[in-house]
């Protein structure tokens, strides 16, 4: 398998992209909204198996001190093949900020620990629907 990483949105079919999010259990997204979130990000990363989109991720960065990684997601059939690790490593290299943060889906923390991430003790979030976020394991009410 020859997976190519690309750092631009060209060729992305956003219906297919949102399908990957759904199948990877990251929730339902609207293709046009998904497209804008990637277009408005400072760094995007897409994994391609030939013409098939198999993974994506994106980040916001101030280019100096801080960046935040969002939406890392690999198509289920392609998970466990080191694609996520490669995407993270390449994104971190390109972001090149002393601090990078992200929020892991509950249960995925050790994937990020292998890449040097550690749990934040004072991280705070203001969610639109706190009860739902608490039920998913993201916050304590
Ligand atoms: C989590 C995810 C991004 C990992 O990507 P991946 O390509 O499947 O993972 P890799 O093959 O690169 O794994 C790298 C290492 O992390 C480990 N790992 C992978 N998934 C893991 C998980 N869910 N929990 C703990 N460790 C995990 C692997 O065993 C591997 O360890 P090794 O280097 O000792 O062999 C991917 O499985 C995914 O998209 N999952 C569904 C969506 C999701 O939860 N995204 C994360 C949002 S925070």
């Amino acid at each position: 398998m020859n997976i190519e990483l690309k750092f631009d949105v060209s060729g992305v079919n956003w219906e297919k992209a949102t399908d990957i999010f759904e199948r990877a259990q990251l929730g339902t997204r609207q293709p046009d909204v998904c497209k804008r979130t990637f277009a408005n990000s400072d760094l995007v990363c897409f994994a391609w198996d030939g013409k098939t989109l198999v993974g994506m991720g994106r980040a916001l960065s101030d280019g100096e001190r801080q960046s935040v990684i969002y939406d890392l997601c690999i198509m289920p059939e392609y998970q466990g093949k080191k694609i996520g690790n490669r995407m993270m490593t390449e994104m971190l290299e390109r972001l090149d900020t002393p601090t990078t943060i992200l929020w892991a889906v509950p249960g995925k923390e050790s994937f990020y620990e292998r890449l040097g991430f550690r749990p934040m003790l004072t991280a705070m979030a203001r969610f639109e629907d706190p009860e739902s976020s608490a039920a998913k394991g993201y916050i304590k009410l």
Side-chain angles (χ1 to χ4, degrees):
M1 189 185 303
N2 183 22
I3 300 295
E4 190 185 357
L5 299 189
K6 290 189 181 168
F7 299 88
D8 65 77
V9 297
S10 58
V12 174
N13 174 319
W14 295 98
E15 273 81 17
K16 291 202 173 132
T18 51
D19 185 52
I20 295 175
F21 276 115
E22 201 154 331
R23 291 179 53 222
Q25 300 193 326
L26 286 191
T28 304
R29 293 161 194 239
Q30 296 302 316
D32 57 331
V33 176
C34 190
K35 179 181 179 181
R36 288 198 296 277
T37 60
F38 276 79
N40 292 336
S41 295
D42 297 297
L43 177 69
V44 297
C45 179
F46 294 93
W48 294 91
D49 181 6
K51 291 191 166 142
T52 307
L53 179 65
V54 301
M56 69 206 107
R58 64 186 183 94
L60 306 182
S61 175
D62 62 21
E64 290 288 338
R65 303 284 315 156
Q66 305 265 352
S67 41
V68 194
I69 293 178
Y70 293 104
D71 290 343
L72 183 73
C73 176
I74 315 293
M75 195 188 269
E77 305 87 299
Y78 286 81
Q79 289 175 10
K81 299 180 191 300
K82 305 276 185 219
I83 301 169
N85 187 283
R86 209 177 122 204
M87 289 173 72
M88 282 296 297
T89 303
E90 292 220 17
M91 283 201 290
L92 289 167
E93 218 171 277
R94 282 165 187 254
L95 289 166
D96 196 24
T97 47
T99 303
T100 306
I101 64 174
L102 56 81
W103 46 318
V105 167
K108 302 288 162 72
E109 295 89 335
S110 61
F111 167 75
Y112 294 108
E113 279 172 357
R114 285 159 205 256
L115 289 153
F117 287 82
R118 294 292 175 265
M120 289 176 70
L121 302 182
T122 60
M124 305 289 287
R126 185 172 181 274
F127 288 111
E128 186 180 33
D129 182 351
E131 281 75 20
S132 155
S133 299
K136 289 177 189 155
Y138 288 114
I139 53 170
K140 289 182 204 158
L141 289 179

